[in-house]
Amino acid sequence: MPATNGAGKVKIGLALGGGAARGWAHIGVLRALKKAGIQPDIIAGTSIGAVVGACDVAGHLDELETFARELTRRRVLGYLDFNLSGTGLITGHRLGERLAKHLGDTRIEDLPRSFTAVATEIGTGHEVWLSRGSVVDAVRASYALPGVFRPVKVDGRWLFDGALVNPIPVSVCRAHGARYVIAVNLNIDISNRGTISNINPMPQS
């Protein structure tokens, strides 16, 4: 039987992959889907895909698009708060503050649609699914590129960029009940690596 929601509708998932600055293309994908009358029930994002996916589910895609369109080289440099501790070239606090400006203290479980950010656990290399807790923390952990951004601590575990283990999180959408998954690949390498560790297990119905 196909996975459905409470109304009997087949669930559609959207897997937004990593891809650094190319990830702004995800905004165009969401606009095109909306124009076609398609609203994904489940969104899973890795790295920049988590940023765009979270903002869409939280209803702040317009603000994100405005931010992306207004970026210049000078403004990008303004967000680079360099870190001298050795855990990452950039602390990521300024970018985190920008996200918090729009997302605030929103928790993933309070979002109107299902959202999961994918991250990688330092040390074990396990794939971690963030489907509960702070939206900002989950997104920051998902895009924390090793050696560039400082890792983010979530529930006692240090996490960084999810693209290392699941660059296009189709498996996350499937696990959360999506019958059909629209996958957006911004890179060539789409192979999965590592072991899955769900840090925020979803309640069983």
Short mmCIF file of all heavy atoms in Angstrom, two decimals, residues 31-61:
data_model
loop_
_atom_site.label_atom_id
_atom_site.label_comp_id
_atom_site.label_asym_id
_atom_site.label_seq_id
_atom_site.Cartn_x
_atom_site.Cartn_y
_atom_site.Cartn_z
N ARG A 31 9.79 27.08 -6.05
CA ARG A 31 8.87 27.99 -6.75
C ARG A 31 8.16 27.25 -7.89
O ARG A 31 6.95 27.42 -8.10
CB ARG A 31 9.65 29.17 -7.32
CG ARG A 31 10.34 30.07 -6.30
CD ARG A 31 9.35 30.80 -5.45
NE ARG A 31 10.00 31.85 -4.67
CZ ARG A 31 9.49 32.34 -3.55
NH1 ARG A 31 8.36 31.88 -3.07
NH2 ARG A 31 10.12 33.30 -2.88
N ALA A 32 8.91 26.45 -8.62
CA ALA A 32 8.34 25.71 -9.75
C ALA A 32 7.31 24.68 -9.28
O ALA A 32 6.25 24.50 -9.90
CB ALA A 32 9.45 25.02 -10.54
N LEU A 33 7.61 24.01 -8.18
CA LEU A 33 6.67 23.03 -7.65
C LEU A 33 5.37 23.71 -7.20
O LEU A 33 4.27 23.21 -7.45
CB LEU A 33 7.30 22.28 -6.46
CG LEU A 33 8.42 21.30 -6.81
CD1 LEU A 33 9.04 20.74 -5.54
CD2 LEU A 33 7.90 20.16 -7.69
N LYS A 34 5.52 24.84 -6.53
CA LYS A 34 4.35 25.58 -6.07
C LYS A 34 3.49 26.02 -7.26
O LYS A 34 2.25 25.93 -7.23
CB LYS A 34 4.77 26.79 -5.25
CG LYS A 34 3.60 27.58 -4.67
CD LYS A 34 4.08 28.74 -3.81
CE LYS A 34 2.89 29.51 -3.22
NZ LYS A 34 3.35 30.63 -2.36
N LYS A 35 4.15 26.48 -8.31
CA LYS A 35 3.43 26.92 -9.51
C LYS A 35 2.66 25.77 -10.14
O LYS A 35 1.58 25.95 -10.71
CB LYS A 35 4.42 27.52 -10.51
CG LYS A 35 3.75 28.14 -11.74
CD LYS A 35 4.78 28.82 -12.63
CE LYS A 35 4.11 29.47 -13.84
NZ LYS A 35 5.12 30.13 -14.72
N ALA A 36 3.23 24.56 -10.00
CA ALA A 36 2.59 23.37 -10.56
C ALA A 36 1.54 22.79 -9.61
O ALA A 36 0.92 21.77 -9.92
CB ALA A 36 3.65 22.32 -10.88
N GLY A 37 1.36 23.43 -8.47
CA GLY A 37 0.37 22.96 -7.51
C GLY A 37 0.83 21.80 -6.66
O GLY A 37 0.02 21.07 -6.08
N ILE A 38 2.15 21.64 -6.54
CA ILE A 38 2.72 20.53 -5.76
C ILE A 38 3.34 21.08 -4.48
O ILE A 38 4.25 21.91 -4.53
CB ILE A 38 3.78 19.77 -6.55
CG1 ILE A 38 3.18 19.20 -7.83
CG2 ILE A 38 4.42 18.67 -5.70
CD1 ILE A 38 4.20 18.59 -8.78
N GLN A 39 2.84 20.64 -3.33
CA GLN A 39 3.45 21.00 -2.05
C GLN A 39 3.90 19.73 -1.36
O GLN A 39 3.08 18.94 -0.90
CB GLN A 39 2.47 21.75 -1.14
CG GLN A 39 3.07 22.06 0.24
CD GLN A 39 2.20 22.94 1.08
OE1 GLN A 39 2.27 24.16 1.00
NE2 GLN A 39 1.35 22.33 1.91
N PRO A 40 5.22 19.51 -1.26
CA PRO A 40 5.73 18.30 -0.61
C PRO A 40 5.25 18.20 0.84
O PRO A 40 5.22 19.19 1.57
CB PRO A 40 7.24 18.47 -0.69
CG PRO A 40 7.46 19.41 -1.83
CD PRO A 40 6.31 20.35 -1.78
N ASP A 41 4.86 16.99 1.24
CA ASP A 41 4.45 16.76 2.62
C ASP A 41 5.66 16.60 3.53
O ASP A 41 5.57 16.86 4.74
CB ASP A 41 3.60 15.48 2.69
CG ASP A 41 2.41 15.53 1.76
OD1 ASP A 41 1.43 16.23 2.09
OD2 ASP A 41 2.47 14.89 0.68
N ILE A 42 6.76 16.16 2.95
CA ILE A 42 7.98 15.86 3.71
C ILE A 42 9.16 16.50 2.99
O ILE A 42 9.33 16.30 1.78
CB ILE A 42 8.21 14.33 3.79
CG1 ILE A 42 7.01 13.66 4.50
CG2 ILE A 42 9.51 14.01 4.50
CD1 ILE A 42 6.92 12.18 4.20
N ILE A 43 9.96 17.25 3.72
CA ILE A 43 11.18 17.82 3.13
C ILE A 43 12.38 17.40 3.98
O ILE A 43 12.38 17.54 5.20
CB ILE A 43 11.12 19.36 3.06
CG1 ILE A 43 10.05 19.80 2.06
CG2 ILE A 43 12.48 19.93 2.65
CD1 ILE A 43 9.97 21.31 1.85
N ALA A 44 13.38 16.86 3.31
CA ALA A 44 14.64 16.51 3.97
C ALA A 44 15.75 17.26 3.26
O ALA A 44 15.78 17.32 2.03
CB ALA A 44 14.89 15.00 3.89
N GLY A 45 16.65 17.85 4.03
CA GLY A 45 17.70 18.64 3.42
C GLY A 45 19.07 18.35 3.98
O GLY A 45 19.21 18.04 5.17
N THR A 46 20.06 18.44 3.13
CA THR A 46 21.45 18.30 3.54
C THR A 46 22.19 19.59 3.22
O THR A 46 22.07 20.12 2.12
CB THR A 46 22.13 17.14 2.77
OG1 THR A 46 21.52 15.90 3.16
CG2 THR A 46 23.61 17.07 3.08
N SER A 47 22.93 20.12 4.20
CA SER A 47 23.75 21.31 4.00
C SER A 47 22.89 22.49 3.53
O SER A 47 21.92 22.86 4.18
CB SER A 47 24.88 20.99 3.02
OG SER A 47 25.90 21.96 3.08
N ILE A 48 23.19 23.10 2.38
CA ILE A 48 22.40 24.22 1.89
C ILE A 48 20.96 23.79 1.62
O ILE A 48 20.02 24.60 1.73
CB ILE A 48 23.04 24.82 0.60
CG1 ILE A 48 22.29 26.09 0.15
CG2 ILE A 48 23.09 23.79 -0.50
CD1 ILE A 48 22.37 27.25 1.10
N GLY A 49 20.77 22.52 1.33
CA GLY A 49 19.42 22.00 1.14
C GLY A 49 18.60 22.07 2.42
O GLY A 49 17.39 22.29 2.39
N ALA A 50 19.28 21.91 3.57
CA ALA A 50 18.59 22.03 4.86
C ALA A 50 18.19 23.48 5.12
O ALA A 50 17.12 23.76 5.66
CB ALA A 50 19.50 21.53 5.98
N VAL A 51 19.04 24.42 4.72
CA VAL A 51 18.74 25.85 4.89
C VAL A 51 17.49 26.22 4.11
O VAL A 51 16.53 26.79 4.65
CB VAL A 51 19.93 26.72 4.43
CG1 VAL A 51 19.56 28.20 4.52
CG2 VAL A 51 21.18 26.43 5.25
N VAL A 52 17.47 25.87 2.83
CA VAL A 52 16.34 26.22 1.97
C VAL A 52 15.08 25.48 2.40
O VAL A 52 13.99 26.05 2.48
CB VAL A 52 16.67 25.93 0.49
CG1 VAL A 52 15.47 26.25 -0.39
CG2 VAL A 52 17.88 26.74 0.04
N GLY A 53 15.23 24.19 2.71
CA GLY A 53 14.07 23.40 3.11
C GLY A 53 13.43 23.91 4.39
O GLY A 53 12.20 24.01 4.48
N ALA A 54 14.27 24.26 5.37
CA ALA A 54 13.75 24.75 6.65
C ALA A 54 13.01 26.07 6.46
O ALA A 54 11.94 26.28 7.03
CB ALA A 54 14.88 24.91 7.64
N CYS A 55 13.58 26.96 5.67
CA CYS A 55 12.95 28.26 5.45
C CYS A 55 11.63 28.11 4.72
O CYS A 55 10.66 28.84 4.99
CB CYS A 55 13.89 29.18 4.68
SG CYS A 55 15.27 29.79 5.67
N ASP A 56 11.54 27.15 3.80
CA ASP A 56 10.29 26.93 3.08
C ASP A 56 9.21 26.41 4.01
O ASP A 56 8.09 26.94 4.04
CB ASP A 56 10.51 25.95 1.93
CG ASP A 56 9.21 25.67 1.17
OD1 ASP A 56 8.63 26.63 0.64
OD2 ASP A 56 8.78 24.51 1.14
N VAL A 57 9.54 25.38 4.78
CA VAL A 57 8.54 24.79 5.69
C VAL A 57 8.10 25.80 6.74
O VAL A 57 6.94 25.81 7.15
CB VAL A 57 9.11 23.52 6.36
CG1 VAL A 57 8.13 22.96 7.37
CG2 VAL A 57 9.43 22.46 5.31
N ALA A 58 9.03 26.67 7.17
CA ALA A 58 8.71 27.66 8.19
C ALA A 58 8.01 28.89 7.62
O ALA A 58 7.62 29.80 8.37
CB ALA A 58 9.99 28.08 8.92
N GLY A 59 7.87 28.96 6.30
CA GLY A 59 7.19 30.08 5.68
C GLY A 59 8.04 31.31 5.46
O GLY A 59 7.52 32.43 5.38
N HIS A 60 9.36 31.11 5.33
CA HIS A 60 10.26 32.25 5.17
C HIS A 60 11.10 32.15 3.90
O HIS A 60 12.22 32.66 3.83
CB HIS A 60 11.20 32.36 6.38
CG HIS A 60 10.49 32.71 7.65
ND1 HIS A 60 9.99 33.96 7.89
CD2 HIS A 60 10.19 31.96 8.74
CE1 HIS A 60 9.42 33.99 9.09
NE2 HIS A 60 9.51 32.79 9.62
N LEU A 61 10.55 31.51 2.87
CA LEU A 61 11.30 31.36 1.62
C LEU A 61 11.50 32.72 0.93
O LEU A 61 12.55 32.95 0.33
CB LEU A 61 10.57 30.41 0.67
CG LEU A 61 11.39 29.93 -0.54
CD1 LEU A 61 12.59 29.12 -0.08
CD2 LEU A 61 10.52 29.09 -1.47
#
